[in-house]
C-alpha cells in the first residue's frame, strides 16, 4: 500500500523511543476492519472493566486520565503500561491471537500503519457525530484515517520547543531572557556557553542514536525555513535540501567545538536525552514540550532557571514544532466497543481535557481548552502551547523503519553529518528514501 504523508492542521506531543521495525505479522488490512455499530452517542457506562495499553513513557498522563475516568464512571479501566520498545511486538502477537485490549494507544507516527493493517475498530460514525469535533486537534485523527474510515482520536499531544539555561546564559554574557530566534543565533549562543569552558558543561546535546528524538529536534528548523523533510507521497527523503544541510552543518560545527556537544551525545539512545539539560549541564537545545512543566517545577527546588521559545528557522520570526504524542482507538478485538467509546467520548470533552491535561500542565487536545485553560499557568507553558499553530507531523507507513528504529538509515545519516563523513549526505539520504518507498 502506498505510503502517505500529511502536514497536520494546527494542533495535533515526543515521538517515542524506538519501536521495533518488524511488520505486524498476521494482521489483516483496513478493508477487513471491524465497524462499530449501534453505539449510543455517549457510549455505555454499565460497570464494565476495560483494558487499555499505553506506552510506559506516558505513565503520568495515562494515570491521570484513567484515575479521573474511574472516579466518575461505573466502567473501570485497567491500565497496562507497555515498554515502548516492546509495544510493536506485543501488538503484533496479540493481533494474531485476537487478544488486543479494548483500547489501544500508540505513537502517532506508527498509527497509520496500524490503521492500514486493521488493528482498530472503525469508529467513523462516532467521531463524526461528536458535538465538539471541530474543537479537537485534527492531526491524531488524520493519522488514523484510511480513505474515509476514521479509527483514532488524540490521546497525548507532545511538541518540541527551544529551551535554554538562563543561569549559563548570564555567565556567558548573553541576555538570559532571549533565546535563539534563528538557526544562526542558536549556533552563536551555543558557542558562547561552550566558551565558558566550565567542567561538565556543554553548549548543546544531541540524541545521536535516537532517531525519534533527533527528528523532534531538527525537523522543525527545516519546516520553519520553508522546506520539507519528506515528499508529499511519503516515499522520498528530502534531507539533502539547502536548509537541511545548514542545520546539520551547524551541529557538525558545534561537534568540532570544544564543549560544543555534550559528552554521550553520539551514543545517546533516547533513554537520557533530556537529562543533561535538566541537570543544568547544557546551554541550549530543542526539547520535549511535555517536559517543560517538570523543568519549571524543578526550579523551585534548585534546578536551573530556564527560558522557552519556539524552534526557529533561518529568518527571525519563523518557527515550527514537531507534533507528536499518541493517538488512541478501540481495537478490533474489543467486545466492549460501546463502553470503550464512553471513555473516548468523555476524554474528548472540554471538562475532561481541562481536568486531565491542562490542570496538570500537559497539552490538551481541545482547542477551547488550549485557548482558555492555561491562563493561570506559568507563562512558559503558554509559550510552549503557542507553537502548535505552526506544527507539523510527517507521516508515512514506513516512517518508523526509516527514521526511528534502531539502526535506521536516518540514524546513520545523523552520525555521518554530525560526527562522521559529511560527504555521504546524498547516499545516506537515498538510503532513507529506499526504506520509505518499500
Amino acid at each position: 500500500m502506498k505510503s502517505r504523508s500529511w502536514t497536520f492542521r494546527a494542533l495535533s506531543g515526543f515521538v517515542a523511543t524506538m519501536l521495533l521495525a518488524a511488520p505486524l505479522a498476521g494482521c489483516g488490512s483496513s478493508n477487513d476492519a471491524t465497524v462499530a455499530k449501534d453505539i449510543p452517542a455517549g457510549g455505555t457506562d454499565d460497570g464494565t472493566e476495560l483494558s487499555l495499553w499505553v506506552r510506559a513513557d506516558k505513565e503520568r498522563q495515562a494515570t491521570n486520565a484513567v484515575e479521573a475516568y474511574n472516579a466518575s464512571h461505573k466502567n473501570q479501566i485497567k491500565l497496562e503500561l507497555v515498554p515502548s520498545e516492546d509495544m510493536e511486538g506485543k501488538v503484533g502477537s496479540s493481533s494474531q491471537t485476537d487478544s488486543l485490549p479494548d483500547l489501544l494507544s500508540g505513537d502517532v507516527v506508527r498509527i497509520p500503519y496500524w490503521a492500514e493493517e486493521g488493528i482498530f475498530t472503525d469508529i467513523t460514525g462516532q467521531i463524526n457525530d461528536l458535538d465538539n469535533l471541530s474543537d479537537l486537534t485534527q492531526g491524531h485523527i488524520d493519522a488514523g484515517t484510511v480513505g474515509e474510515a476514521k479509527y483514532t482520536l488524540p490521546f497525548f499531544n507532545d511538541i518540541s520547543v527551544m529551551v535554554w539555561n538562563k543561569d549559563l546564559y548570564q555567565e556567558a554574557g548573553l541576555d538570559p531572557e532571549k533565546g535563539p530566534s534563528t538557526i544562526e543565533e542558536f549556533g552563536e549562543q551555543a558557542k558562547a556557553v561552550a566558551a565558558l569552558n566550565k567542567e561538565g558543561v556543554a553548549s548543546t546535546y544531541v540524541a545521536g542514536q535516537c532517531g525519534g528524538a533527533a527528528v523532534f529536534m531538527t525537523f522543525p528548523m527545516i519546516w520553519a525555513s520553508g522546506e520539507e523533510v519528506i515528499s508529499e507521497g511519503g516515499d522520498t527523503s528530502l534531507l539533502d535540501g539547502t536548509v537541511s544541510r545548514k542545520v546539520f552543518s551547524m551541529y557538525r560545527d558545534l561537534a568540532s567545538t570544544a564543549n560544543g556537544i555534550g559528552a554521550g551525545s553520539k551514543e545517546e539512545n533516547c533513554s537520557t536525552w533530556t537529562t543533561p539539560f535538566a541537570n543544568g549541564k547544557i546551554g541550549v537545545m530543542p526539547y520535549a514540550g511535555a517536559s517543560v512543566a517538570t523543568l519549571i517545577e524543578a526550579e523551585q527546588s534548585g534546578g536551573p532557571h530556564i527560558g522557552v521559545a519556539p524552534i526557529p528557522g533561518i529568518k527571525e520570526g519563523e518557527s515550527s514544532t514537531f507534533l507528536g504524542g499518541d493517538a488512541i482507538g478501540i481495537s478490533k478485538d474489543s467486545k466492549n466497543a460501546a463502553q470503550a467509546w464512553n471513555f473516548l467520548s468523555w476524554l474528548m470533552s472540554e471538562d475532561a481535557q481541562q481536568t486531565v491535561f491542562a490542570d496538570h500542565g500537559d497539552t490538551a487536545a481541545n482547542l477551547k481548552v488550549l485557548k482558555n485553560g492555561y491562563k493561570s499557568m506559568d507563562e512558559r507553558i503558554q509559550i510552549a502551547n503557542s507553537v502548535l499553530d505552526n506544527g507539523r507531523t510527517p507521516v508515512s507507513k514506513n516512517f518508523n523503519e526509516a527514521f526511528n528504529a534502531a539502526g535506521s538509515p536516518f540514524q546513520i545519516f545523523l552520525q555521518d553529518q554530525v560526527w562522521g563523513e559529511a560527504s555521504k549526505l546524498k547516499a545516506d539520504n537515498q538510503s532513507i528514501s529506499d526504506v520509505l518507498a518499500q
Side-chain angles (χ1 to χ4, degrees):
M1 186 173 294
K2 185 176 177 62
S3 297
R4 299 170 294 135
S5 176
W6 301 280
T7 298
F8 283 174
R9 187 160 67 81
L11 300 171
S12 95
F14 166 57
V15 176
T17 51
M18 299 164 289
L19 295 173
L20 297 180
L24 298 179
C27 294
S29 71
S30 58
N31 293 329
D32 305 318
T34 303
V35 179
K37 299 178 181 178
D38 302 324
I39 295 179
T44 300
D45 183 21
D46 59 2
T48 298
E49 181 176 279
L50 299 167
S51 52
L52 165 64
W53 291 356
V54 177
R55 294 185 291 150
D57 62 316
K58 305 298 183 184
E59 178 178 7
R60 183 174 65 84
Q61 297 97 320
T63 299
N64 290 339
V66 168
E67 288 183 350
Y69 179 81
N70 286 351
S72 57
H73 290 76
K74 296 176 183 177
N75 295 338
Q76 295 292 288
I77 293 179
K78 183 177 181 180
L79 173 64
E80 180 174 345
L81 298 169
V82 181
S84 295
E85 62 272 20
D86 295 340
M87 181 65 92
E88 189 80 2
K90 187 176 179 69
V91 169
S93 60
S94 298
S95 178
Q96 293 181 46
T97 57
D98 298 328
S99 56
L100 290 166
D102 294 298
L103 292 152
L104 178 63
S105 169
D107 186 345
V108 69
V109 302
R110 197 55 170 167
I111 289 296
Y113 181 69
W114 288 3
E116 289 182 353
E117 291 298 310
I119 292 297
F120 295 109
T121 290
D122 182 342
I123 50 175
T124 305
Q126 288 70 36
I127 292 176
N128 288 342
D129 287 343
L130 284 170
D131 292 338
N132 65 342
L133 178 59
S134 62
D135 293 331
L136 302 179
T137 59
Q138 295 300 303
H140 293 51
I141 298 174
D142 291 345
T145 298
V146 181
E148 298 298 319
K150 299 176 182 178
Y151 297 95
T152 59
L153 286 165
F155 198 1
F156 312 121
N157 284 318
D158 199 2
I159 51 179
S160 52
V161 296
M162 188 69 75
V163 295
W164 65 95
N165 184 315
K166 292 184 177 182
D167 305 319
L168 292 175
Y169 267 43
Q170 186 81 48
E171 290 184 52
L174 299 169
D175 183 349
E177 300 304 321
K178 187 180 184 301
S181 59
T182 64
I183 296 171
E184 184 178 3
E185 278 192 358
F186 177 25
E188 292 171 349
Q189 293 179 7
K191 284 187 174 182
V193 174
L196 289 172
N197 199 27
K198 197 170 183 178
E199 184 177 359
V201 170
S203 67
T204 196
Y205 195 81
V206 178
Q209 297 287 346
C210 180
V215 300
F216 209 60
M217 300 169 71
T218 59
F219 281 15
M221 299 183 203
I222 300 170
W223 289 324
S225 305
E227 285 193 2
E228 300 298 328
V229 295
I230 60 176
S231 64
E232 184 176 354
D235 56 2
T236 304
S237 172
L238 304 177
L239 294 182
D240 57 351
T242 302
V243 177
S244 177
R245 290 172 184 265
K246 289 183 178 180
V247 169
F248 291 102
S249 177
M250 181 268 296
Y251 274 108
R252 187 177 184 85
D253 185 31
L254 291 176
S256 64
T257 300
N259 310 311
I261 292 184
S265 286
K266 189 175 182 179
E267 298 77 29
E268 177 59 59
N269 65 358
C270 283
S271 59
T272 60
W273 79 281
T274 60
T275 302
F277 183 87
N279 289 342
K281 301 299 183 181
I282 298 298
V284 57
M285 66 180 288
Y287 203 77
S291 298
V292 167
T294 302
L295 292 175
I296 294 171
E297 291 172 4
E299 284 185 351
Q300 310 306 314
S301 55
H305 296 87
I306 68 157
V308 177
I311 295 176
I314 290 178
K315 297 179 181 179
E316 189 167 351
E318 299 173 335
S319 67
S320 189
T321 189
F322 197 116
L323 304 180
D326 284 34
I328 186 172
I330 302 170
S331 87
K332 68 178 180 63
D333 298 332
S334 177
K335 302 299 189 292
N336 306 300
Q339 291 81 0
W341 177 250
N342 181 258
F343 171 72
L344 293 181
S345 61
W346 166 83
L347 187 65
M348 296 304 106
S349 70
E350 192 171 340
D351 287 345
Q353 290 285 311
Q354 182 70 46
T355 301
V356 173
F357 300 107
D359 288 351
H360 293 277
D362 295 318
T363 305
N366 182 289
L367 306 184
K368 289 182 179 178
V369 174
L370 282 166
K371 181 179 180 179
N372 303 311
Y374 296 83
K375 293 181 178 179
S376 64
M377 293 287 175
D378 189 287
E379 182 184 9
R380 290 165 292 184
I381 291 177
Q382 297 180 48
I383 290 173
N385 285 340
S386 73
V387 308
L388 290 160
D389 286 338
N390 298 318
R392 304 281 296 278
T393 304
V395 180
S396 169
K397 182 178 179 181
N398 295 320
F399 186 90
N400 181 72
E401 290 80 4
F403 291 95
N404 289 9
S408 71
F410 175 69
Q411 285 188 18
I412 296 170
F413 176 98
L414 179 67
Q415 288 282 323
D416 280 339
Q417 293 311 300
V418 179
W419 295 282
E421 298 181 45
S423 62
K424 291 183 176 180
L425 184 143
K426 279 194 170 295
D428 288 345
N429 183 67
Q430 183 59 49
S431 294
I432 300 172
S433 295
D434 291 344
V435 174
L436 288 173
Q438 288 177 1

